[in-house]
């Protein structure tokens, strides 16, 4: 006869049901009684505890009818008291009952002995609470503190598909078996459990501390459907791991942050329109075209950003190939690509810092010293010189005082502006405008931006190398960055001095989600972003950067010794231009992009489609409508329907930030990210999201990515900034440094989730430390 399906009751009642049915774990002895029992005869209740549990330290736990329910958990809402001695039991029970608020006779109190010799504890979910998909998710920490994870102090997180063919880590095998058994006992109802492992007499024992229904906003898709998609992704990853006749490197790695970092720009789960626009404007072709123009290997026709059911990743082998100087010996170049990939696999937390920590992509004044690490990988001194010579030639082409490639790229921005103005005053229909705004955005916008971004990176690397070789101090670096005049710093100044209409005419096209049609432009929702009733104070003028005569002489000697072409003045002109023009190029091409999104919205509305539904459309549908005679309503409806269906699959998937092998698609441990700490400052402040402007003042603001459209935040007196994604050279990193704002850029999914859910944090940038205070 089939076993009876259990039903969840209260915390205590559910544990009591399970106490003699569990095979995969034990449940500690327990005593439970109601508030009515306690009020009627507390002496009898205390005697029951003494007889059943003895005098050992106890844990007095809430078991309220308002917690652990099917529709709401109220997790942590009521009191639990640990290590309660016998003489303190009565008072502890009173405290727990008082935490319930109103007196309800049916509420319970649960008392158990404190577990001894705990070596591991945590929480385990049968389904991913974020995606509602059937992933087993275990968040745990090593050590004796059973409240560490539930108290929000982090720990490690492992996630595995329900039908994964690969076993969990050895230390989690029992926990995953516990989840499977509980699912069987409760008839497949998604659930959330707490567990602990004790070690005594050379034996590990798994204990179930709590189990309750997992409250999810939607029903998850079936494990079978999940397994079918993961099989296709794993097959695609396996194909990518093979050698390629036109690529160097034995294998590849996929990451969400290297190079053109999609996690930062469009997010880890972009809507189809945003994904297709990013591919169109950057990652399908433009990225490789411009990198080749700047002297690197020709990777044209290689799309940089594959996606797995809508989750975008960078093909890291492609990226690393594209950072190899075109004139470097083929065999040496191949070894270098393999070295880069091996380095990333050895330290996957560097995936958002590959150009700073792994790749040698330009010549700097400390390059010969940095190349010495290749000796351990058996690169000879002669090979290291060859790499340095190729990078020197390439860098000289970029920074040349008269013929530097960045100069011609900067000139294209004026062409972009002129052509946009011509187009917008012409009689062109909306479809033609969409087509040409995008074409111009590529040719005169993202193409030069890709080059100027490269120049900006070279500038930052060169500037940092001046610190390494001892010419500049960190204060000099900060002073120089503070003296740079970017679009962002000008925006802050203009916000303080311009009237609303003038300000929005200049900056109104900006939006926090640059590629996201659902993110309002500044001029579409000005009240959302700015307080127009009062102007922010004008930022204090920073002390101009200046060098001493000895520093100038030393730089002259270094440039001559390293055979670099510019003199010190020309070098610093390039450093300033590289950083400023990168932001200016972004400002100009995003105006074209923002106008495209506005036109898409208005054109779709003419055919009865909301902006929300158009977010699921592929930009290719509008290109097709421009070049072909087709039924707009039918074509757009089909694209939206297909996009919405694909996006539902996107939402149900979870993948690690770095995929190193096909097995990672099925199960993975989320890495603790290595965030980028900006400035040397400290701040203690409450946490705020960006949705409520009135809560931003004096707060540490948490935003998912380092998109330049969030620049409006800097017009508010915020105390600090934390982003989930973003590199050391991202817009927000530069802007925060420019403003002297303590910031943590690129915290990673796990740390960001922990910190953004806190109410108050202490951020110590110099100490590279974030502490949850509440």
């Amino acid at each position: 006869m089939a076993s009876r399906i259990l039903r969840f009751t209260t915390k205590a009642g559910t544990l009591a049901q399970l106490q003699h049915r569990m095979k995969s774990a034990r449940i500690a002895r327990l005593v439970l009684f109601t508030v009515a029992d306690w009020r009627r005869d507390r002496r009898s209740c205390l005697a029951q505890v003494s007889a059943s549990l003895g005098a050992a330290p106890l844990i007095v736990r809430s078991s309220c009818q308002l917690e652990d329910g099917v529709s709401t958990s109220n997790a942590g809402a009521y009191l639990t008291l640990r290590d309660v001695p016998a003489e303190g039991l009565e008072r502890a029970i009173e405290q727990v009952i008082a935490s319930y608020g109103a007196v309800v006779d049916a509420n319970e109190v649960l008392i158990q002995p404190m577990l001894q010799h705990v070596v591991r504890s945590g929480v385990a979910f049968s389904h991913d609470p974020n995606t509602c998909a059937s992933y087993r998710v275990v968040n745990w920490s090593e050590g004796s503190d059973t409240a560490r994870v539930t108290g929000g102090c982090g720990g490690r997180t492992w996630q595995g598909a329900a039908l994964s063919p690969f076993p969990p880590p050895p230390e989690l095998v029992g926990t995953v078996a516990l989840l499977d058994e509980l699912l069987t006992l409760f008839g497949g109802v998604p659930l959330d459990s707490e567990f602990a492992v004790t070690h005594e007499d050379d034996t590990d024992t798994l204990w179930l501390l709590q189990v309750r229904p997992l409250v999810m906003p939607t029903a998850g898709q079936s494990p079978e459907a999940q397994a079918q998609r993961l099989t296709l992704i794993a097959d695609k990853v396996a194909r990518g791991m093979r050698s390629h006749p036109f690529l160097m490197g034995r294998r590849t790695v996929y990451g969400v942050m290297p190079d053109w970092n999609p996690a930062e720009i469009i997010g880890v789960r972009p809507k189809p329109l945003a994904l297709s626009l990013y591919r169109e404007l950057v990652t399908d072709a433009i990225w490789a075209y411009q990198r080749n123009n700047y002297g690197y290997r020709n990777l044209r026709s290689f799309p940089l950003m594959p996606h797995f059911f809508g989750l975008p990743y960078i093909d890291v082998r492609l990226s690393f190939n594209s950072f190899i100087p075109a004139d470097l010996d083929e065999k040496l170049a191949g070894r270098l690509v393999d070295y880069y990939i091996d380095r990333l696999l050895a330290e996957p937390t560097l995936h958002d810092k590959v150009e700073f920590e792994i790749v040698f992509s330009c010549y700097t004044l400390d390059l010969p010293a940095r190349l010495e690490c290749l000796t351990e990988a058996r690169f000879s001194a002669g090979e290291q010189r060859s790499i340095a010579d190729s990078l020197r030639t390439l860098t000289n082409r970029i920074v040349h005082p008269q013929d530097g490639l960045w100069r011609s790229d900067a000139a294209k921005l004026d062409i972009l502006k002129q052509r946009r103005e011509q187009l917008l005053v012409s009689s062109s229909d909306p479809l033609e405008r969409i087509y040409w705004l995008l074409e111009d955005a590529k040719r005169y916008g993202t193409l030069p931006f890709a080059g100027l971004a490269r120049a900006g990176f070279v500038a930052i690397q060169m500037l940092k190398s001046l610190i390494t070789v001892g010419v500049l101090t960190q204060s000099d670096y900060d002073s120089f960055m503070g003296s740079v005049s970017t679009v962002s710093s000008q925006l802050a100044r203009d916000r303080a001095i311009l009237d609303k209409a003038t300000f929005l005419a200049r900056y109104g096209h900006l939006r926090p989600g640059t590629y996201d049609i659902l993110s309002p432009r500044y001029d579409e929702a000005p009240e959302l972003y700015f307080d127009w009733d009062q102007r922010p104070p004008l930022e204090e003028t920073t002390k101009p950067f200046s060098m001493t005569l000895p520093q100038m002489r030393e730089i002259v000697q270094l440039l001559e010794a390293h055979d670099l072409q510019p003199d010190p003045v020309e070098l610093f002109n390039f450093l300033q231009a590289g950083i400023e023009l990168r932001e200016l190029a972004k400002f100009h091409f995003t105006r074209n992009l923002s106008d495209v999104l506005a036109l898409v919205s208005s054109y779709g509305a003419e055919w009865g489609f909301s902006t929300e539904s158009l977010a699921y459309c592929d930009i290719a549908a509008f290109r097709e409508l421009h070049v072909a005679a087709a039924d707009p309503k039918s074509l757009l409806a089909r694209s939206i329907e297909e996009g919405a269906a694909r996006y539902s699959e996107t939402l149900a998937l979870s993948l690690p930030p770095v995929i190193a092998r096909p097995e990672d698609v099925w199960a993975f441990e989320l890495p603790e990210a290595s965030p980028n700490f900006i400035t040397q400052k400290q701040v203690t402040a409450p946490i705020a999201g960006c949705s409520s402007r009135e809560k931003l003042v004096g707060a540490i603001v948490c935003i998912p990515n380092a998109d330049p459209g969030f620049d409006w935040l800097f017009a508010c007196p915020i105390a600090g900034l934390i982003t989930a994604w973003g590199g050391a050279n991202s817009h927000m990193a530069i802007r925060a440094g420019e403003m002297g704002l303590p910031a943590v850029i690129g915290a990673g999914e796990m740390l960001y989730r922990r910190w953004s859910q806190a109410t108050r944090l202490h951020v110590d940038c110099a100490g590279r430390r974030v502490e949850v205070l509440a």
Side-chain angles (χ1 to χ4, degrees):
M1 187 175 70
S3 298
R4 178 175 63 87
I5 300 298
L6 299 182
R7 295 286 179 265
F8 288 102
T9 61
T10 59
K11 182 189 300 181
T14 298
L15 287 176
Q17 285 185 81
L18 289 167
Q19 192 156 35
H20 302 296
R21 295 190 63 169
M22 297 297 302
K23 296 178 182 177
S24 57
R26 295 178 61 185
I27 295 173
R29 302 189 313 278
L30 60 85
V31 170
L32 69 92
F33 46 80
T34 66
V35 172
D37 293 334
W38 178 254
R39 293 171 67 196
R40 183 171 50 249
D41 189 353
R42 68 177 57 194
R43 185 170 298 177
S44 175
C45 294
L46 292 170
Q48 183 186 359
V49 173
S50 178
S52 301
L53 305 182
L58 302 170
I59 180 168
V60 182
R61 309 176 65 189
S62 65
S63 182
C64 179
Q65 291 187 325
L66 295 179
E67 63 181 329
D68 297 355
V70 174
S71 59
T72 180
S73 71
N74 273 326
Y78 306 108
L79 195 60
T80 287
L81 296 172
R82 295 169 175 80
D83 286 311
V84 176
E87 61 273 18
L89 181 58
E90 183 174 357
R91 183 170 183 275
I93 294 170
E94 287 286 348
Q95 288 178 279
V96 170
I97 291 174
S99 74
Y100 298 160
V103 175
V104 177
D105 285 348
N107 283 339
E108 299 167 337
V109 177
L110 168 64
I111 303 174
Q112 295 176 282
M114 281 292 297
L115 292 179
Q116 304 299 312
H117 311 294
V118 173
V119 294
R120 184 179 308 117
S121 61
V123 296
F125 302 98
S126 66
H127 292 65
D128 183 342
N130 297 306
T131 66
C132 304
S134 53
Y135 286 97
R136 310 296 181 247
V137 182
V138 185
N139 181 203
W140 84 102
S141 65
E142 303 291 330
S144 60
D145 185 357
T146 58
R148 179 173 173 78
V149 169
T150 55
C153 295
R156 298 164 62 185
T157 300
W158 174 88
Q159 187 159 337
L163 299 180
S164 171
F166 303 100
E171 64 267 35
L172 300 183
V173 169
T175 306
V176 174
L178 168 61
L179 282 173
D180 291 337
E181 183 181 9
L182 289 170
L183 279 170
T184 300
L185 290 170
F186 287 98
V189 175
L191 49 87
D192 160 11
S193 64
E194 295 180 21
F195 69 91
V197 176
T198 59
H199 183 80
E200 200 166 2
D201 298 329
D202 293 326
T203 302
D204 282 349
T205 303
L206 176 64
W207 300 83
L208 176 64
L209 307 181
Q210 180 174 331
V211 61
R212 59 187 169 211
L214 179 60
V215 180
M216 299 195 303
T218 60
Q221 295 177 331
S222 72
E224 291 75 19
Q226 179 192 62
Q228 185 179 23
R229 283 192 295 275
L230 293 179
T231 298
L232 292 171
I233 297 173
D235 289 346
K236 168 77 173 98
V237 171
R239 293 197 304 274
M241 296 295 173
R242 299 172 189 160
S243 60
H244 192 287
F246 307 140
L247 289 175
M248 297 176 297
R250 298 186 305 271
R251 53 172 303 180
T252 193
V253 176
Y254 296 98
V256 299
M257 274 302 296
D259 209 345
W260 280 92
N261 40 35
E264 177 183 343
I265 305 301
I266 56 175
V268 292
R269 292 185 179 86
K271 295 276 178 62
L273 180 60
L275 178 64
S276 63
L277 279 167
Y278 196 48
R279 291 179 58 190
E280 174 83 10
L281 290 176
V282 178
T283 65
D284 277 357
I286 292 296
W287 78 281
Y289 189 93
Q290 188 65 309
R291 204 155 284 174
N292 184 218
N293 287 346
Y294 269 59
Y296 298 95
R297 287 183 67 87
N298 183 356
L299 274 296
R300 300 180 188 190
S301 299
F302 280 99
L304 178 66
M305 187 180 72
H307 68 89
F308 306 129
F309 286 94
L311 275 69
Y313 278 77
I314 295 299
D315 183 330
V316 177
R317 175 168 56 180
L318 273 177
S319 172
F320 287 168
N321 269 257
S322 77
F323 284 128
I324 300 292
D327 64 352
L328 192 64
D329 173 76
E330 189 92 4
K331 188 175 179 182
L332 176 56
R335 289 176 57 212
L336 198 55
V337 169
D338 281 330
Y339 166 78
Y340 291 157
I341 291 174
D342 290 343
R343 279 274 288 122
L344 178 58
L345 290 174
E347 294 187 73
T349 55
L350 298 179
H351 74 123
D352 63 343
K353 308 175 181 64
V354 293
E355 286 192 69
F356 287 98
E357 303 289 345
I358 294 178
V359 172
F360 304 108
S361 63
C362 64
Y363 195 94
T364 56
L365 298 171
D366 60 348
L367 180 67
R370 290 194 297 122
L371 286 173
E372 289 175 5
C373 67
L374 293 176
T375 304
E376 293 181 19
R378 299 184 178 179
F379 286 81
S380 69
E383 289 172 327
Q384 292 174 40
R385 283 195 298 274
S386 293
I387 295 169
D389 289 343
S390 285
L391 289 172
R392 181 187 293 107
T393 301
L394 179 149
T395 303
N396 274 327
R397 285 187 61 206
I398 294 173
V399 305
H400 192 278
Q402 286 78 43
D403 304 321
L405 295 168
W406 60 274
R407 292 186 179 276
S408 59
D409 278 334
K412 291 175 184 173
L413 301 179
D414 291 330
I415 300 174
L416 177 68
K417 182 179 178 182
Q418 293 166 8
R419 287 176 63 88
R420 182 176 59 247
E421 290 172 353
Q422 281 181 275
L423 184 64
L424 294 180
V425 299
S426 72
S427 58
S428 302
D429 62 65
L431 291 172
E432 193 165 23
R433 290 186 180 193
I434 290 170
Y435 176 85
W436 282 109
L437 283 169
L438 285 176
E439 286 299 301
D440 283 356
K442 288 186 288 186
R443 188 172 294 112
Y444 306 111
T446 54
L447 184 67
F449 168 69
L452 293 168
R454 179 105 308 267
F457 176 81
V458 173
I460 293 292
Q461 284 281 74
M462 190 70 75
L463 199 58
K464 287 180 178 290
S465 74
L466 284 167
I467 299 176
T468 305
V469 298
V471 176
L472 298 183
T473 65
Q474 182 64 46
S475 291
D476 291 330
Y477 176 92
D478 293 340
S479 175
F480 179 82
M481 293 300 292
S483 69
V484 170
S485 178
T486 63
V487 169
S488 304
S489 56
Q490 186 60 50
L491 182 149
R493 286 193 293 271
D494 285 349
R495 176 67 191 92
I497 62 176
L498 296 181
D499 62 80
K500 179 178 178 180
T502 308
F503 179 85
L504 291 177
R506 188 171 297 173
Y507 300 101
H509 70 279
L510 296 175
R511 55 177 92 218
T514 301
Y515 291 79
D516 183 5
I517 196 171
L518 299 180
S519 177
R521 292 162 51 120
Y522 286 6
D523 56 13
E524 289 173 342
E527 312 303 327
L528 177 65
Y529 301 116
F530 303 102
D531 182 355
W532 299 100
D533 293 331
Q534 56 180 7
R535 291 183 178 179
L538 194 62
E539 289 183 9
E540 292 183 16
T541 305
T542 55
K543 184 181 177 182
F545 170 77
S546 62
M547 287 184 294
T548 63
L549 194 56
Q551 284 177 315
M552 291 278 281
R553 289 178 180 144
E554 199 168 350
I555 291 174
V556 168
Q557 294 171 356
L558 283 167
L559 292 173
E560 290 177 353
H562 288 271
D563 199 18
L564 292 173
Q565 292 173 346
D567 63 32
V569 173
E570 291 167 339
L571 173 65
F572 274 85
N573 282 340
F574 165 76
L575 298 181
Q576 180 176 351
I579 296 167
E580 291 178 350
L581 287 170
R582 171 194 173 185
E583 303 305 316
L584 184 64
K586 188 181 295 184
F587 181 77
H588 281 296
F589 91 74
T590 56
R591 187 183 291 275
N592 272 44
L593 172 57
S594 193
D595 288 345
V596 164
L597 291 173
L599 285 165
V600 164
S601 182
S602 60
Y603 182 82
E606 290 179 19
W607 295 99
F609 298 106
S610 67
T611 302
E612 287 72 20
S613 63
L614 289 164
Y616 298 108
C617 189
D618 193 296
I619 195 61
F622 288 88
R623 177 182 290 276
E624 183 68 11
L625 285 172
H626 171 65
V627 300
D631 177 7
K633 190 162 189 174
S634 173
L635 195 153
L636 290 176
R638 188 164 59 251
S639 182
I640 289 167
E641 183 181 358
E642 291 173 357
R646 286 199 308 271
Y647 192 65
S648 68
E649 296 173 329
T650 304
L651 291 177
L653 281 171
S654 292
L655 295 173
V658 175
I659 301 174
R661 52 187 186 162
E663 298 94 293
D664 294 342
V665 169
W666 291 93
F668 53 90
E669 183 175 340
L670 279 174
E672 284 263 6
S674 180
N676 303 286
F677 287 85
I678 310 302
T679 77
Q680 303 292 302
K681 296 183 178 180
Q682 297 186 25
V683 62
T684 300
I687 292 298
C690 62
S691 56
S692 300
R693 185 160 43 84
E694 61 274 10
K695 296 180 180 178
L696 298 179
V697 176
I700 298 169
V701 180
C702 292
I703 57 175
N705 49 46
D707 189 292
F710 283 107
D711 216 74
W712 63 275
L713 288 171
F714 296 119
C716 305
I718 63 175
L721 181 70
I722 294 176
T723 75
W725 305 105
N729 202 34
S730 67
H731 173 92
M732 286 303 197
I734 291 172
R735 185 70 179 110
E738 191 180 276
M739 292 190 65
L741 184 76
V744 186
I745 305 296
E749 193 167 355
M750 194 163 72
L751 289 174
Y752 178 78
R753 192 182 304 167
R754 183 190 315 162
W755 295 339
S756 63
Q757 290 174 355
T759 57
R760 193 171 186 84
L761 290 180
H762 173 71
V763 177
D764 174 9
C765 292
R768 301 181 60 81
R769 185 173 61 92
V770 177
E771 183 180 354
V772 176
L773 302 179

